[in-house]
Amino acid sequence: QVQLVESGGGWVQAGGSLNLSCAASGSIFNINSMAWYRQAPGKQRDYVAAVPTGGSPHYAASVKGRFTISRDNAKNTVYLQMNSLKPEDTAVYYCNVLDGGLPFPNEYWGQGTQVTVSS
């Protein structure tokens, strides 16, 4: 099993910034990808950004240019720097890790961290 611990959520005014982090630990085999998703109240969980091992970051259109995802492979940690935040970015943000062999890696989720952006 892999455990994911997220931190960095909070409250911020529109236009502000927050930095989320997610540290993976436990029986890590070979991480294929680390990503962030978010879920607003009453809505489905949506993809935000991902960074595959050895690959380039990818972003949802709604956050491209404002959010930056990065990884520290030595620490098995993924970050999400969020700038120019908007009220519509308010959601619970979840870390997601794909670990293990393809084509069916194991998928793990963090517990979620609340981000609230006020107008």
Side-chain angles (χ1 to χ4, degrees):
Q1 283 290 330
V2 173
Q3 294 78 43
L4 303 178
V5 178
E6 301 156 352
S7 61
W11 178 89
V12 66
Q13 287 189 322
S17 299
L18 285 173
N19 188 35
L20 306 182
S21 64
C22 171
S25 63
S27 302
I28 297 170
F29 176 64
N30 182 25
I31 293 178
N32 297 304
S33 176
M34 304 184 84
W36 290 95
Y37 287 73
R38 66 186 181 186
Q39 187 168 17
K43 295 189 177 181
Q44 67 182 18
R45 190 172 297 187
D46 290 331
Y47 167 81
V48 175
V51 54
T53 300
S56 300
H58 180 269
Y59 301 91
S62 59
V63 306
K64 196 170 186 179
R66 299 187 298 121
F67 291 10
T68 301
I69 188 171
S70 61
R71 282 172 61 171
D72 184 333
N73 292 326
K75 296 181 179 179
N76 290 320
T77 299
V78 62
Y79 305 94
L80 186 67
Q81 176 65 42
M82 304 184 293
N83 299 327
S84 301
L85 282 161
K86 305 174 181 180
E88 51 264 44
D89 294 318
T90 295
V92 178
Y93 283 70
Y94 295 92
C95 176
N96 173 276
V97 167
L98 298 179
D99 178 67
L102 298 173
F104 303 111
N106 294 314
E107 184 174 37
Y108 301 97
W109 292 92
Q111 80 283 2
T113 185
Q114 178 70 47
V115 171
T116 302
V117 184
S118 65
S119 57

